Each structure stands twice: as structure tokens, then as C-alpha cells.
């Protein structure tokens, strides 16, 4: 079990090193998209733009963490199916669910190490200072990403059946970008994945609010959202998994 966990970390680092050009290109694209959004909001907001900069920075990079979390699961399954190794993973002595968890954890750790410095760099290049408490930052990223993993499990389950769902994943990607960029004072909106975490991080960036200074109801909504989407994701994924096994399509692409 431990060997499988370590192997996932090594595999991710090796792939980043072997495909170094693609890794660097992805970071450049992230910055290009950020500045397109940044200057777009600047033109639209006019003289009041200074009040929204911190929110744009936080919302964008929380969206990137969301992408890394929910796309990581679905694209991993699609990639293993393309390589013809998906069925072997199901036949491995280590259960597929554990391998998926190990992959999610290793992906998350690498993404945090990469994305958090990028967020500070984006703030620096736009002339802002982000007032982040490290513990609060990690707390919000972890719980927000758990709900995103739940969405990823649903998409991963769909990938077991439909094999190629890249276009649908892209639709979800930009739909959630729009959701995370705005604040709506409604409970149903706050229960969407990553929304509450993004709102709390936005307040942390603007006012310097720490973990213990958020109202208790904010923490309750954050935990409920994370647990709810993770549970729903697991249930739906297992349903798709059983259907794929009955149909005998795990090894097909």
C-alpha cells in the first residue's frame, strides 16, 4: 500500500520532468488566461477596478485548483484507458479506489506547491499584496478541493462508460469559472462545489480574516459541501464502475 502511494508521487514527478516543455507551456498559458481576464475586468470596471483585483486573483487560482482536482481524476481514467492499462489497475492487488486516492493526493500536493507561488507572483505583478494566513489557506484549499474531487469522481465514472468525455469536461470547466468569479448571497449558490471556499478565501485575501474569525455557519457550509459532493461522487462512480464491469468494457477504448 505504501509502495503504491510513493509510486504515484514518483510517477507524477517523472512525467513532469520528461514532458518538461508541456509543463512549462501549461504555466505560461495559465498566466496568459489570467492577464486576459485581468485586463478584461479592468476595462469593464473602470475607476473602481482596484476594489476587485484581489477577488479576481483568488477566484482565478481557486478555479485552477478546482480544475486540477476534478480534471485530475477524470483525465487520469481516460489516459489509463487510452494506454490500455485501466483494466490492469482494476486487477492489481491494490484496490482501484486506493490507487485513485493516492493519485488524487499526489496530484493535490504537487498542484499546491506549483499554484500557490503562481498566485503570489500574479499578485506581485499586478501590484497587490495578499494577506494570507498559511493554515487558513491550506484549510480552505483542502476542503474546497474535496468537493471538486467529488465532481471529478462523477466525470471519472462517466469516462468508464463513455470513454471520451473531453468536450463535456471543457464545458464544466468554463461553467465553473463563471460560477467562481461571482458572489451570490444565496444558500443554494454557496452549496455548489468550491464556491464557499472561494468566497472565504476572497475575504481572507481582502481583509486578512483568519481561520477562527470566520462565522461558524461558514465552516458548517464548507464541511457539508465537501462531504456531500465527495459522498455523491463516490456513490455515482461506483454505480458507473459496476455497470462497466457488467458490460465488460473496462479494457475497451
Amino acid at each position: 500500500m505504501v509502495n503504491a502511494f510513493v509510486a504515484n508521487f514518483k510517477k507524477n514527478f517523472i512525467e513532469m520532468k520528461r514532458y518538461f516543455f508541456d509543463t512549462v507551456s501549461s504555466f505560461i498559458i495559465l498566466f496568459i488566461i489570467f492577464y486576459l481576464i485581468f485586463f478584461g475586468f479592468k476595462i469593464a470596471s473602470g475607476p473602481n477596478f482596484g476594489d476587485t483585483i484581489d477577488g479576481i486573483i483568488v477566484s482565478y487560482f481557486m478555479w485552477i485548483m478546482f480544475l486540477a482536482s476534478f480534471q485530475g481524476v477524470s483525465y487520469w481514467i481516460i489516459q489509463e484507458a487510452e494506454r490500455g492499462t485501466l483494466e490492469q489497475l482494476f486487477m492489481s492487488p491494490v484496490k482501484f479506489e486506493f490507487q485513485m486516492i493516492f493519485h488524487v493526493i499526489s496530484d493535490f500536493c504537487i498542484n499546491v506547491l506549483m499554484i500557490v507561488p503562481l498566485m503570489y507572483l500574479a499578485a506581485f505583478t499586478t501590484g497587490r499584496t495578499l494577506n494570507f494566513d498559511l493554515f487558513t489557506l491550506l484549510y480552505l484549499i483542502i476542503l474546497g478541493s474535496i468537493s471538486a474531487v467529488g465532481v471529478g469522481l462523477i466525470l471519472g465514472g462517466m469516462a468508464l462508460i463513455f470513454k471520451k468525455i473531453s468536450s463535456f469536461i471543457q464545458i464544466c470547466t468554463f461553467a465553473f469559472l463563471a460560477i467562481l468569479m461571482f458572489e451570490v448571497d444565496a444558500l443554494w449558490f454557496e452549496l455548489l462545489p468550491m464556491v464557499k471556499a472561494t468566497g472565504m478565501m476572497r475575504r481572507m485575501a481582502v481583509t486578512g480574516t483568519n481561520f477562527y474569525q470566520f462565522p461558524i455557519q461558514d465552516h458548517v457550509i464548507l464541511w457539508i459541501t465537501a462531504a456531500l459532493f465527495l459522498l455523491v461522487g463516490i456513490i455515482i462512480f461506483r454505480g458507473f464502475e459496476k455497470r462497466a464491469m457488467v458490460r465488460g468494457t473496462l479494457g475497451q477504448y
Side-chain angles (χ1 to χ4, degrees):
M1 194 75 72
V2 176
N3 290 336
F5 181 69
V6 174
N8 270 283
F9 270 99
K10 288 183 177 179
K11 177 176 177 289
N12 283 339
F13 277 113
I14 290 172
E15 288 186 342
M16 289 180 65
K17 183 179 178 181
R18 293 284 174 86
Y19 304 110
F20 182 73
F21 178 77
D22 183 64
T23 302
V24 174
S25 298
S26 64
F27 288 126
I28 294 174
I29 290 172
L30 290 180
F31 263 101
I32 291 174
I33 294 175
F34 168 74
Y35 283 112
L36 288 174
I37 295 173
F38 175 81
F39 287 113
F41 268 92
K42 186 174 183 179
I43 293 172
S45 300
N48 297 322
F49 179 63
D51 299 331
T52 63
I53 297 178
D54 294 337
I56 293 171
I57 294 172
V58 171
S59 298
Y60 178 73
F61 284 96
M62 283 298 282
W63 174 66
I64 298 301
M65 282 301 303
F66 181 87
L67 291 190
S69 298
F70 91 84
Q71 287 188 353
V73 177
S74 51
Y75 277 130
W76 176 64
I77 292 175
I78 293 172
Q79 187 181 62
E80 296 296 338
E82 289 177 342
R83 293 173 176 174
T85 55
L86 183 61
E87 194 171 23
Q88 296 177 28
L89 292 175
F90 277 92
M91 297 170 63
S92 170
V94 181
K95 286 187 176 183
F96 181 78
E97 287 80 4
F98 286 112
Q99 297 187 58
M100 188 163 52
I101 291 171
F102 296 156
H103 176 78
V104 168
I105 293 174
S106 61
D107 258 6
F108 175 80
C109 293
I110 293 172
N111 290 330
V112 169
L113 291 174
M114 297 294 180
I115 291 174
V116 171
L118 286 178
M119 184 165 57
Y120 279 99
L121 180 61
F124 175 76
T125 55
T126 54
R128 308 298 292 182
T129 301
L130 299 179
N131 302 311
F132 281 169
D133 171 67
L134 181 60
F135 176 79
T136 308
L137 174 65
L138 293 176
Y139 168 75
L140 295 176
I141 288 178
I142 290 172
L143 285 178
S145 297
I146 289 174
S147 62
V149 168
V151 177
L153 288 171
I154 296 172
L155 296 175
M158 293 174 63
L160 291 177
I161 302 296
F162 304 110
K163 304 304 177 183
K164 196 166 186 178
I165 58 170
S166 301
S167 297
F168 182 70
I169 291 175
Q170 294 304 318
I171 293 172
C172 294
T173 296
F174 288 101
F176 278 106
L177 174 61
I179 290 172
L180 295 181
M181 281 293 173
F182 298 98
E183 284 190 89
V184 177
D185 190 16
L187 180 60
W188 66 268
F189 187 79
E190 293 182 339
L191 290 174
L192 294 175
M194 289 287 283
V195 169
K196 192 61 180 177
T198 302
M200 293 172 71
M201 187 173 288
R202 194 179 290 119
R203 271 183 282 162
M204 181 180 68
V206 175
T207 65
T209 307
N210 290 326
F211 167 82
Y212 56 87
Q213 294 174 319
F214 288 108
I216 188 66
Q217 60 265 28
D218 286 348
H219 292 284
V220 171
I221 293 173
L222 187 64
W223 279 89
I224 288 176
T225 304
L228 178 64
F229 276 94
L230 183 61
L231 179 62
V232 170
I234 291 172
I235 292 172
I236 294 178
F237 177 83
R238 287 186 172 175
F240 279 119
E241 179 186 359
K242 289 180 180 178
R243 186 178 177 187
M245 286 180 173
V246 170
R247 294 172 59 181
T249 58
L250 284 177
Q252 298 177 6
Y253 179 72

